[in-house]
Amino acid sequence: MKITILGAGGFLGRKLAARLAQAGELNGRAITGLTLFDLNVPPPPAAAFPIRRIPGDLANPATVAEAIPPGTDIVFHLAAVVSAAAEADFDLGLRVNLQGTLAVLEACRRLERAPRLVFTSSVASFGGGQGAVVPDDGRQLPANSYGAQKAMGELLLQDASRRGMIDAVSLRLPTVIVRPGRPNKAASSFVSAIVREPLLGLPTTCPVGPDFAIWVCSPRRAVDWFLHAATMDTAVLGLDRGINPPGLSVTVAELLSALEAAGGQEARSLVTFQPDPAIEAIVSGWPASFAATRAKALGFAQQDGAEAILDAFLADDLKATKAEREMA
Amino acid sequence: MKITILGAGGFLGRKLAARLAQAGELNGRAITGLTLFDLNVPPPPAAAFPIRRIPGDLANPATVAEAIPPGTDIVFHLAAVVSAAAEADFDLGLRVNLQGTLAVLEACRRLERAPRLVFTSSVASFGGGQGAVVPDDGRQLPANSYGAQKAMGELLLQDASRRGMIDAVSLRLPTVIVRPGRPNKAASSFVSAIVREPLLGLPTTCPVGPDFAIWVCSPRRAVDWFLHAATMDTAVLGLDRGINPPGLSVTVAELLSALEAAGGQEARSLVTFQPDPAIEAIVSGWPASFAATRAKALGFAQQDGAEAILDAFLADDLKATKAEREMA
Ligand SMILES: NC(=O)c1ccc[n+]([C@@H]2O[C@H](COP(=O)([O-])OP(=O)(O)OC[C@H]3O[C@@H](n4cnc5c(N)ncnc54)[C@H](O)[C@@H]3O)[C@@H](O)[C@H]2O)c1
Ligand SMILES: NC(=O)c1ccc[n+]([C@@H]2O[C@H](COP(=O)([O-])OP(=O)(O)OC[C@H]3O[C@@H](n4cnc5c(N)ncnc54)[C@H](O)[C@@H]3O)[C@@H](O)[C@H]2O)c1
């Protein structure tokens, strides 16, 4: 089984590569080759199968074709200009998120057999706000360029799947927490920061109130979904290749309780509320919950609670995050 | 007021150009220039204002920019590879319907003031079938490449409107009848043919049963909607630039009654039922009705009944259609 990860240098791409390397197989079939593609390809994880590293730009069809060699069975398309960057630079977002996805389709069409294509779309392609529970057939009316480009990509891949060119599954991922690294300019940055920074012993501020709810998942669960999307029977999907996986609707207060459970009263006391109307204006448009009925019926695993999310961060990422901070 | 029609050589583009030429003004403002753009630009209608004809390919950004000169106030974007053709040639559809629409956006962004852009999307971007009454926030899950490309175009233009680059209104047009010309390979061809051919004294077959219902409008009403979309206040639209205009849900039996009213028992007897499972399979996926509540509240005129649609054909197109057939 030959696999390609596009966007292999990112937060989730690295986690996915590590999981594949560790497992050595997928659904009982041995992995015989893995290609890691990104603008910057990280050192490959240790694995029993050969790993190719292809640095390149997703918007360059020739490099993308090189990253999806003959015989590829599964393509994980995670490469993207993410929300804040696509909002800041409209042309860059279109070039990578739209034209890049067209290049991925072109490369897949050249293969002898239509490959399974797992595409990471986003809850940012939906509106609705705090009160919303988005149904499985909810309409995508994005309030940001990133979400619009993701929804366009979904339409393209859905249609190409109908035509038999590819066999796509598009996962509208929740906000994935706890993201390692430093707080950044993404409007959702605080959702990870309010637990990560205190666990590193650092103070942080929360721009929204304790009742603010958000749809989240852990990176572990996201990778579980990737693997399920890569191996599931897609015949049952029919036309509809878009999946709202069963994340967790969690409030800031619940995250802070989990933080206290994991790091004690001391950690909890490092978070102070400091309302930021600009951030509140953006994030209050995001739907706080999804029905996710179809995804559950299709076998996508439910995200477990906030404490499990924090435990995963402690087990998987705290040490490396600490080391990085100390090096800088 | 400077206006451009892209796709000015088509069925609706010609009707729109003729209406603008006749009116000389729009919403009380004089038209000072009109550009007609198409692969093949027809002779311009007589008008009191200058008309430029620009032949060219929508997928060529330089020609599209020429067709949308500085100072353009309104762009009607009607150019498209339509349903059967986009299904037969996926790449052509993407090139014109997607990349062409990107070229239109590029040209509009170069203008000093964001122009009003009226985009013709289609009911083919929805599924649902005979039982459906599509709500205003219905999800677009197209079962054909043309519909997918139209829905992608809508997302692009909606997002660009949110960013203030353009001021778009996307009309999901019903099947427009009575289309002049010969029966063609479009799956919807029969909807016009079952009234047009008998009114020309010619026999024709109907591939679906008398109870089959379809969402239609007349070309007159479509042009009314174009002009309303070009002049309405768009501030009330918010994020949502997609309009399902108030067409008419009509059955084959109702169309044939209107035919009998217009052309007598003789005309009616020229239609025979000849089930065609291939056509039925395609058209039975199209939604037969829309709520269109929002469009009505926004001032889009309701389509009047089947008899009015036939009367419009008799008044506007029968003579020319007859003459064309005799010439061939
Ligand atoms: N992390 C989340 O909370 C979240 C939520 C919803 C959706 N998603 C989606 O999941 C996917 C992975 O997310 P992530 O958190 O790992 O993002 P990330 O930003 O950490 O990784 C994205 C990767 O794409 C690469 N990339 C960007 N432009 C490229 C180009 N032109 N050519 C080649 N590579 C390019 C980047 O170098 C980066 O390594 C993305 O598609 C993202 O939109 C993520
Ligand atoms: N007529 C209908 O029933 C109907 C229904 C729903 C939506 N629409 C949409 O309304 C619009 C107008 O419809 P119509 O019936 O007049 O279609 P049409 O096919 O009669 O006209 C389309 C025009 O676009 C032009 N065109 C195609 N490719 C081009 C290219 N590469 N460069 C420049 N011009 C190009 C064609 O030459 C043609 O003149 C289309 O966008 C169509 O998709 C029509």
Side-chain angles (χ1 to χ4, degrees), chain B residues 71-129:
Chain B
T72 301
D73 297 285
I74 301 171
V75 176
F76 294 98
H77 174 19
L78 278 57
V81 171
V82 295
S83 60
E87 201 56 30
D89 188 339
F90 180 68
D91 294 295
L92 178 67
L94 279 182
R95 202 173 64 80
V96 177
N97 298 340
L98 178 61
Q99 304 291 3
T101 299
L102 278 160
V104 174
L105 173 59
E106 281 316 301
C108 291
R109 282 171 76 185
R110 286 208 202 95
L111 302 178
E112 269 177 50
R113 253 172 313 109
R116 176 66 52 90
L117 177 62
V118 179
F119 177 58
T120 45
S121 183
S122 169
V123 295
S125 62
F126 293 95

Short mmCIF file of all heavy atoms in Angstrom, two decimals, chain B residues 71-129:
data_model
loop_
_atom_site.label_atom_id
_atom_site.label_comp_id
_atom_site.label_asym_id
_atom_site.label_seq_id
_atom_site.Cartn_x
_atom_site.Cartn_y
_atom_site.Cartn_z
N GLY B 71 -14.32 51.88 -15.21
CA GLY B 71 -15.60 52.58 -15.10
C GLY B 71 -16.83 51.69 -15.25
O GLY B 71 -17.96 52.17 -15.19
N THR B 72 -16.61 50.38 -15.45
CA THR B 72 -17.76 49.48 -15.57
C THR B 72 -18.54 49.44 -14.25
O THR B 72 -17.97 49.28 -13.18
CB THR B 72 -17.28 48.05 -15.92
OG1 THR B 72 -16.55 48.09 -17.15
CG2 THR B 72 -18.47 47.09 -16.06
N ASP B 73 -19.86 49.63 -14.36
CA ASP B 73 -20.71 49.63 -13.16
C ASP B 73 -21.34 48.27 -12.90
O ASP B 73 -21.51 47.86 -11.76
CB ASP B 73 -21.83 50.66 -13.32
CG ASP B 73 -21.30 52.07 -13.46
OD1 ASP B 73 -20.87 52.62 -12.43
OD2 ASP B 73 -21.27 52.61 -14.59
N ILE B 74 -21.72 47.60 -14.00
CA ILE B 74 -22.45 46.34 -13.86
C ILE B 74 -21.90 45.32 -14.83
O ILE B 74 -21.72 45.61 -16.02
CB ILE B 74 -23.96 46.53 -14.17
CG1 ILE B 74 -24.57 47.57 -13.21
CG2 ILE B 74 -24.72 45.21 -14.06
CD1 ILE B 74 -25.99 47.97 -13.59
N VAL B 75 -21.64 44.12 -14.33
CA VAL B 75 -21.23 43.01 -15.18
C VAL B 75 -22.28 41.91 -15.05
O VAL B 75 -22.57 41.46 -13.94
CB VAL B 75 -19.85 42.46 -14.76
CG1 VAL B 75 -19.48 41.24 -15.61
CG2 VAL B 75 -18.78 43.54 -14.86
N PHE B 76 -22.84 41.49 -16.18
CA PHE B 76 -23.70 40.32 -16.20
C PHE B 76 -22.85 39.15 -16.68
O PHE B 76 -22.41 39.16 -17.83
CB PHE B 76 -24.89 40.53 -17.16
CG PHE B 76 -25.85 41.60 -16.72
CD1 PHE B 76 -25.77 42.89 -17.25
CD2 PHE B 76 -26.85 41.33 -15.79
CE1 PHE B 76 -26.67 43.88 -16.86
CE2 PHE B 76 -27.75 42.32 -15.39
CZ PHE B 76 -27.65 43.60 -15.92
N HIS B 77 -22.62 38.20 -15.78
CA HIS B 77 -21.76 37.06 -16.14
C HIS B 77 -22.63 35.85 -16.47
O HIS B 77 -23.01 35.08 -15.59
CB HIS B 77 -20.79 36.78 -15.00
CG HIS B 77 -19.95 35.56 -15.20
ND1 HIS B 77 -19.74 34.96 -16.43
CD2 HIS B 77 -19.24 34.81 -14.31
CE1 HIS B 77 -18.97 33.90 -16.28
NE2 HIS B 77 -18.66 33.78 -15.02
N LEU B 78 -22.93 35.71 -17.76
CA LEU B 78 -23.80 34.63 -18.25
C LEU B 78 -23.03 33.58 -19.04
O LEU B 78 -23.61 32.57 -19.45
CB LEU B 78 -24.88 35.22 -19.17
CG LEU B 78 -26.13 35.86 -18.57
CD1 LEU B 78 -25.83 36.98 -17.61
CD2 LEU B 78 -27.04 36.38 -19.70
N ALA B 79 -21.75 33.84 -19.31
CA ALA B 79 -21.00 32.91 -20.16
C ALA B 79 -20.76 31.60 -19.42
O ALA B 79 -20.34 31.60 -18.27
CB ALA B 79 -19.66 33.53 -20.55
N ALA B 80 -21.03 30.50 -20.09
CA ALA B 80 -20.86 29.21 -19.43
C ALA B 80 -20.84 28.07 -20.43
O ALA B 80 -21.42 28.16 -21.51
CB ALA B 80 -21.99 28.96 -18.43
N VAL B 81 -20.13 27.02 -20.03
CA VAL B 81 -20.28 25.73 -20.69
C VAL B 81 -21.44 25.06 -19.98
O VAL B 81 -21.36 24.79 -18.78
CB VAL B 81 -18.99 24.89 -20.55
CG1 VAL B 81 -19.22 23.48 -21.06
CG2 VAL B 81 -17.86 25.57 -21.31
N VAL B 82 -22.54 24.84 -20.69
CA VAL B 82 -23.75 24.42 -19.98
C VAL B 82 -23.78 22.91 -19.73
O VAL B 82 -22.83 22.19 -20.05
CB VAL B 82 -25.03 24.99 -20.64
CG1 VAL B 82 -25.04 26.52 -20.51
CG2 VAL B 82 -25.17 24.55 -22.06
N SER B 83 -24.87 22.45 -19.12
CA SER B 83 -24.84 21.18 -18.40
C SER B 83 -24.34 19.98 -19.19
O SER B 83 -23.41 19.29 -18.76
CB SER B 83 -26.20 20.88 -17.79
OG SER B 83 -27.19 20.80 -18.78
N ALA B 84 -24.93 19.71 -20.35
CA ALA B 84 -24.55 18.50 -21.08
C ALA B 84 -23.09 18.60 -21.52
O ALA B 84 -22.34 17.62 -21.46
CB ALA B 84 -25.45 18.29 -22.28
N ALA B 85 -22.67 19.79 -21.95
CA ALA B 85 -21.30 19.97 -22.43
C ALA B 85 -20.29 19.82 -21.30
O ALA B 85 -19.23 19.23 -21.47
CB ALA B 85 -21.16 21.33 -23.11
N ALA B 86 -20.61 20.37 -20.13
CA ALA B 86 -19.69 20.26 -18.99
C ALA B 86 -19.61 18.83 -18.48
O ALA B 86 -18.59 18.41 -17.94
CB ALA B 86 -20.14 21.20 -17.86
N GLU B 87 -20.69 18.08 -18.67
CA GLU B 87 -20.67 16.67 -18.27
C GLU B 87 -19.83 15.86 -19.26
O GLU B 87 -19.10 14.95 -18.86
CB GLU B 87 -22.10 16.13 -18.21
CG GLU B 87 -22.28 14.89 -17.36
CD GLU B 87 -21.81 15.06 -15.91
OE1 GLU B 87 -21.86 16.18 -15.37
OE2 GLU B 87 -21.37 14.06 -15.33
N ALA B 88 -19.92 16.23 -20.54
CA ALA B 88 -19.17 15.50 -21.58
C ALA B 88 -17.68 15.83 -21.52
O ALA B 88 -16.85 14.99 -21.87
CB ALA B 88 -19.73 15.83 -22.96
N ASP B 89 -17.32 17.03 -21.12
CA ASP B 89 -15.92 17.45 -21.11
C ASP B 89 -15.62 18.17 -19.80
O ASP B 89 -15.80 19.38 -19.67
CB ASP B 89 -15.65 18.36 -22.32
CG ASP B 89 -14.17 18.68 -22.49
OD1 ASP B 89 -13.40 18.56 -21.51
OD2 ASP B 89 -13.77 19.05 -23.61
N PHE B 90 -15.13 17.38 -18.84
CA PHE B 90 -14.87 17.90 -17.48
C PHE B 90 -13.87 19.05 -17.52
O PHE B 90 -14.06 20.07 -16.85
CB PHE B 90 -14.32 16.74 -16.65
CG PHE B 90 -13.99 17.07 -15.22
CD1 PHE B 90 -14.99 17.37 -14.30
CD2 PHE B 90 -12.67 17.04 -14.78
CE1 PHE B 90 -14.68 17.64 -12.97
CE2 PHE B 90 -12.35 17.31 -13.45
CZ PHE B 90 -13.36 17.61 -12.55
N ASP B 91 -12.81 18.91 -18.31
CA ASP B 91 -11.76 19.93 -18.33
C ASP B 91 -12.26 21.24 -18.93
O ASP B 91 -11.94 22.32 -18.45
CB ASP B 91 -10.55 19.41 -19.10
CG ASP B 91 -9.90 18.24 -18.35
OD1 ASP B 91 -9.40 18.46 -17.25
OD2 ASP B 91 -9.95 17.11 -18.86
N LEU B 92 -13.05 21.12 -19.98
CA LEU B 92 -13.62 22.33 -20.59
C LEU B 92 -14.51 23.06 -19.58
O LEU B 92 -14.44 24.29 -19.44
CB LEU B 92 -14.43 21.96 -21.84
CG LEU B 92 -15.13 23.13 -22.53
CD1 LEU B 92 -14.10 24.09 -23.15
CD2 LEU B 92 -16.10 22.63 -23.61
N GLY B 93 -15.33 22.31 -18.87
CA GLY B 93 -16.20 22.92 -17.86
C GLY B 93 -15.39 23.65 -16.80
O GLY B 93 -15.70 24.79 -16.45
N LEU B 94 -14.35 23.00 -16.30
CA LEU B 94 -13.52 23.65 -15.28
C LEU B 94 -12.84 24.90 -15.83
O LEU B 94 -12.76 25.92 -15.16
CB LEU B 94 -12.43 22.69 -14.78
CG LEU B 94 -12.82 21.66 -13.72
CD1 LEU B 94 -11.59 20.85 -13.34
CD2 LEU B 94 -13.41 22.33 -12.46
N ARG B 95 -12.37 24.79 -17.06
CA ARG B 95 -11.63 25.90 -17.66
C ARG B 95 -12.53 27.13 -17.80
O ARG B 95 -12.14 28.25 -17.46
CB ARG B 95 -11.10 25.47 -19.04
CG ARG B 95 -9.91 26.27 -19.52
CD ARG B 95 -9.34 25.66 -20.81
NE ARG B 95 -10.28 25.71 -21.89
CZ ARG B 95 -10.50 26.80 -22.65
NH1 ARG B 95 -9.83 27.91 -22.43
NH2 ARG B 95 -11.38 26.75 -23.62
N VAL B 96 -13.72 26.93 -18.28
CA VAL B 96 -14.60 28.07 -18.53
C VAL B 96 -15.39 28.44 -17.27
O VAL B 96 -15.37 29.59 -16.83
CB VAL B 96 -15.56 27.79 -19.71
CG1 VAL B 96 -16.53 28.95 -19.90
CG2 VAL B 96 -14.77 27.51 -20.97
N ASN B 97 -16.05 27.46 -16.67
CA ASN B 97 -16.96 27.79 -15.56
C ASN B 97 -16.22 28.15 -14.28
O ASN B 97 -16.69 29.00 -13.52
CB ASN B 97 -17.91 26.62 -15.30
CG ASN B 97 -18.80 26.33 -16.50
OD1 ASN B 97 -18.98 27.18 -17.37
ND2 ASN B 97 -19.34 25.12 -16.57
N LEU B 98 -15.07 27.55 -14.05
CA LEU B 98 -14.32 27.88 -12.83
C LEU B 98 -13.21 28.91 -13.12
O LEU B 98 -13.23 30.01 -12.60
CB LEU B 98 -13.75 26.62 -12.17
CG LEU B 98 -12.90 26.90 -10.92
CD1 LEU B 98 -13.72 27.58 -9.83
CD2 LEU B 98 -12.26 25.62 -10.39
N GLN B 99 -12.26 28.53 -13.99
CA GLN B 99 -11.14 29.46 -14.25
C GLN B 99 -11.65 30.73 -14.93
O GLN B 99 -11.14 31.83 -14.69
CB GLN B 99 -10.05 28.79 -15.09
CG GLN B 99 -9.48 27.49 -14.51
CD GLN B 99 -8.65 27.68 -13.23
OE1 GLN B 99 -8.52 28.79 -12.72
NE2 GLN B 99 -8.12 26.58 -12.71
N GLY B 100 -12.66 30.60 -15.78
CA GLY B 100 -13.25 31.78 -16.42
C GLY B 100 -13.86 32.72 -15.38
O GLY B 100 -13.69 33.94 -15.46
N THR B 101 -14.53 32.16 -14.40
CA THR B 101 -15.14 33.00 -13.37
C THR B 101 -14.07 33.65 -12.50
O THR B 101 -14.22 34.81 -12.07
CB THR B 101 -16.15 32.16 -12.54
OG1 THR B 101 -17.17 31.70 -13.44
CG2 THR B 101 -16.79 32.96 -11.44
N LEU B 102 -12.95 32.95 -12.29
CA LEU B 102 -11.81 33.57 -11.62
C LEU B 102 -11.27 34.75 -12.44
O LEU B 102 -10.93 35.80 -11.88
CB LEU B 102 -10.69 32.54 -11.40
CG LEU B 102 -10.85 31.64 -10.18
CD1 LEU B 102 -10.01 30.38 -10.31
CD2 LEU B 102 -10.45 32.39 -8.89
N ALA B 103 -11.24 34.59 -13.76
CA ALA B 103 -10.77 35.69 -14.62
C ALA B 103 -11.72 36.89 -14.54
O ALA B 103 -11.28 38.05 -14.56
CB ALA B 103 -10.63 35.20 -16.07
N VAL B 104 -13.00 36.61 -14.43
CA VAL B 104 -13.98 37.70 -14.29
C VAL B 104 -13.73 38.46 -12.98
O VAL B 104 -13.70 39.70 -12.95
CB VAL B 104 -15.43 37.15 -14.32
CG1 VAL B 104 -16.44 38.26 -14.03
CG2 VAL B 104 -15.72 36.50 -15.68
N LEU B 105 -13.50 37.70 -11.92
CA LEU B 105 -13.22 38.34 -10.63
C LEU B 105 -11.95 39.19 -10.73
O LEU B 105 -11.91 40.33 -10.26
CB LEU B 105 -13.08 37.28 -9.54
CG LEU B 105 -12.62 37.79 -8.17
CD1 LEU B 105 -13.58 38.85 -7.62
CD2 LEU B 105 -12.49 36.64 -7.18
N GLU B 106 -10.90 38.64 -11.35
CA GLU B 106 -9.65 39.39 -11.51
C GLU B 106 -9.88 40.71 -12.22
O GLU B 106 -9.38 41.76 -11.81
CB GLU B 106 -8.63 38.57 -12.29
CG GLU B 106 -7.94 37.50 -11.48
CD GLU B 106 -7.52 38.02 -10.11
OE1 GLU B 106 -6.75 38.99 -10.05
OE2 GLU B 106 -7.99 37.47 -9.10
N ALA B 107 -10.63 40.66 -13.31
CA ALA B 107 -10.90 41.88 -14.08
C ALA B 107 -11.69 42.89 -13.24
O ALA B 107 -11.42 44.09 -13.27
CB ALA B 107 -11.66 41.53 -15.36
N CYS B 108 -12.65 42.41 -12.47
CA CYS B 108 -13.46 43.31 -11.65
C CYS B 108 -12.64 43.94 -10.53
O CYS B 108 -12.87 45.10 -10.16
CB CYS B 108 -14.64 42.55 -11.04
SG CYS B 108 -15.87 42.06 -12.26
N ARG B 109 -11.68 43.20 -10.01
CA ARG B 109 -10.85 43.74 -8.92
C ARG B 109 -10.00 44.91 -9.39
O ARG B 109 -9.57 45.72 -8.58
CB ARG B 109 -9.92 42.65 -8.39
CG ARG B 109 -10.60 41.67 -7.48
CD ARG B 109 -9.68 40.51 -7.17
NE ARG B 109 -8.63 40.84 -6.21
CZ ARG B 109 -7.65 40.01 -5.86
NH1 ARG B 109 -7.58 38.80 -6.42
NH2 ARG B 109 -6.74 40.37 -5.00
N ARG B 110 -9.69 44.95 -10.69
CA ARG B 110 -8.86 46.03 -11.21
C ARG B 110 -9.62 47.35 -11.31
O ARG B 110 -9.01 48.41 -11.47
CB ARG B 110 -8.36 45.67 -12.61
CG ARG B 110 -7.29 44.64 -12.55
CD ARG B 110 -6.34 44.76 -13.74
NE ARG B 110 -5.68 43.48 -13.91
CZ ARG B 110 -6.09 42.52 -14.74
NH1 ARG B 110 -7.12 42.72 -15.53
NH2 ARG B 110 -5.43 41.39 -14.80
N LEU B 111 -10.93 47.30 -11.27
CA LEU B 111 -11.73 48.52 -11.40
C LEU B 111 -11.58 49.38 -10.14
O LEU B 111 -11.30 48.88 -9.06
CB LEU B 111 -13.20 48.17 -11.63
CG LEU B 111 -13.50 47.30 -12.85
CD1 LEU B 111 -14.99 47.00 -12.91
CD2 LEU B 111 -13.05 47.99 -14.14
N GLU B 112 -11.82 50.68 -10.30
CA GLU B 112 -11.70 51.56 -9.15
C GLU B 112 -12.79 51.30 -8.12
O GLU B 112 -12.55 51.31 -6.92
CB GLU B 112 -11.77 53.03 -9.59
CG GLU B 112 -10.40 53.60 -9.91
CD GLU B 112 -10.52 55.02 -10.41
OE1 GLU B 112 -11.19 55.83 -9.75
OE2 GLU B 112 -9.95 55.29 -11.48
N ARG B 113 -14.02 51.13 -8.63
CA ARG B 113 -15.14 50.84 -7.74
C ARG B 113 -15.58 49.40 -7.96
O ARG B 113 -15.68 48.94 -9.11
CB ARG B 113 -16.33 51.76 -8.09
CG ARG B 113 -16.58 52.88 -7.08
CD ARG B 113 -17.64 53.84 -7.59
NE ARG B 113 -17.39 54.22 -8.97
CZ ARG B 113 -18.11 53.84 -10.03
NH1 ARG B 113 -19.17 53.07 -9.87
NH2 ARG B 113 -17.80 54.25 -11.25
N ALA B 114 -15.88 48.69 -6.88
CA ALA B 114 -16.37 47.32 -6.99
C ALA B 114 -17.67 47.31 -7.78
O ALA B 114 -18.64 47.96 -7.38
CB ALA B 114 -16.59 46.73 -5.60
N PRO B 115 -17.71 46.62 -8.92
CA PRO B 115 -18.93 46.62 -9.72
C PRO B 115 -19.98 45.65 -9.18
O PRO B 115 -19.64 44.70 -8.47
CB PRO B 115 -18.43 46.14 -11.08
CG PRO B 115 -17.33 45.20 -10.75
CD PRO B 115 -16.66 45.77 -9.52
N ARG B 116 -21.21 45.90 -9.50
CA ARG B 116 -22.25 44.89 -9.29
C ARG B 116 -22.00 43.76 -10.30
O ARG B 116 -21.78 44.03 -11.49
CB ARG B 116 -23.63 45.51 -9.53
CG ARG B 116 -24.82 44.54 -9.43
CD ARG B 116 -24.99 44.01 -8.02
NE ARG B 116 -25.06 45.04 -7.00
CZ ARG B 116 -26.17 45.64 -6.58
NH1 ARG B 116 -27.34 45.30 -7.09
NH2 ARG B 116 -26.12 46.57 -5.65
N LEU B 117 -22.02 42.54 -9.82
CA LEU B 117 -21.81 41.38 -10.70
C LEU B 117 -23.02 40.47 -10.57
O LEU B 117 -23.30 39.94 -9.49
CB LEU B 117 -20.54 40.64 -10.27
CG LEU B 117 -20.19 39.36 -11.04
CD1 LEU B 117 -19.95 39.65 -12.51
CD2 LEU B 117 -18.94 38.70 -10.45
N VAL B 118 -23.74 40.29 -11.66
CA VAL B 118 -24.89 39.39 -11.66
C VAL B 118 -24.44 38.07 -12.28
O VAL B 118 -24.03 38.04 -13.45
CB VAL B 118 -26.08 39.99 -12.44
CG1 VAL B 118 -27.26 39.01 -12.45
CG2 VAL B 118 -26.50 41.32 -11.82
N PHE B 119 -24.47 37.02 -11.48
CA PHE B 119 -23.96 35.72 -11.90
C PHE B 119 -25.15 34.77 -12.06
O PHE B 119 -26.01 34.68 -11.18
CB PHE B 119 -22.99 35.19 -10.85
CG PHE B 119 -22.44 33.81 -11.12
CD1 PHE B 119 -21.74 33.53 -12.28
CD2 PHE B 119 -22.60 32.79 -10.19
CE1 PHE B 119 -21.22 32.26 -12.53
CE2 PHE B 119 -22.08 31.51 -10.42
CZ PHE B 119 -21.39 31.25 -11.59
N THR B 120 -25.17 34.04 -13.19
CA THR B 120 -26.25 33.09 -13.40
C THR B 120 -25.81 31.70 -12.96
O THR B 120 -25.12 30.99 -13.68
CB THR B 120 -26.65 33.05 -14.89
OG1 THR B 120 -25.47 33.01 -15.69
CG2 THR B 120 -27.47 34.26 -15.25
N SER B 121 -26.24 31.35 -11.76
CA SER B 121 -26.07 29.98 -11.30
C SER B 121 -27.32 29.19 -11.73
O SER B 121 -28.11 29.68 -12.55
CB SER B 121 -25.87 29.94 -9.78
OG SER B 121 -25.64 28.61 -9.36
N SER B 122 -27.48 28.01 -11.18
CA SER B 122 -28.51 27.14 -11.74
C SER B 122 -29.13 26.22 -10.70
O SER B 122 -28.47 25.82 -9.74
CB SER B 122 -27.87 26.29 -12.85
OG SER B 122 -28.74 25.26 -13.25
N VAL B 123 -30.36 25.84 -10.91
CA VAL B 123 -31.00 24.81 -10.08
C VAL B 123 -30.26 23.49 -10.17
O VAL B 123 -30.40 22.64 -9.30
CB VAL B 123 -32.47 24.57 -10.48
CG1 VAL B 123 -33.31 25.81 -10.21
CG2 VAL B 123 -32.60 24.15 -11.93
N ALA B 124 -29.45 23.33 -11.23
CA ALA B 124 -28.68 22.08 -11.38
C ALA B 124 -27.63 21.94 -10.28
O ALA B 124 -27.01 20.90 -10.15
CB ALA B 124 -28.00 22.03 -12.74
N SER B 125 -27.43 22.99 -9.48
CA SER B 125 -26.50 22.89 -8.35
C SER B 125 -27.16 22.25 -7.13
O SER B 125 -26.52 22.04 -6.12
CB SER B 125 -25.94 24.26 -7.99
OG SER B 125 -26.96 25.14 -7.58
N PHE B 126 -28.46 21.96 -7.24
CA PHE B 126 -29.18 21.30 -6.14
C PHE B 126 -29.58 19.88 -6.53
O PHE B 126 -29.76 19.58 -7.71
CB PHE B 126 -30.46 22.07 -5.80
CG PHE B 126 -30.24 23.44 -5.22
CD1 PHE B 126 -30.24 24.56 -6.02
CD2 PHE B 126 -30.02 23.59 -3.85
CE1 PHE B 126 -30.03 25.82 -5.48
CE2 PHE B 126 -29.82 24.85 -3.30
CZ PHE B 126 -29.82 25.97 -4.12
N GLY B 127 -29.77 19.06 -5.52
CA GLY B 127 -30.40 17.77 -5.73
C GLY B 127 -31.78 17.82 -5.12
O GLY B 127 -32.33 18.89 -4.92
N GLY B 128 -32.34 16.66 -4.85
CA GLY B 128 -33.61 16.67 -4.13
C GLY B 128 -34.68 15.86 -4.82
O GLY B 128 -35.36 15.05 -4.20
N GLY B 129 -34.86 16.08 -6.12
CA GLY B 129 -35.82 15.27 -6.86
C GLY B 129 -37.24 15.79 -6.78
O GLY B 129 -37.52 16.84 -6.19
#
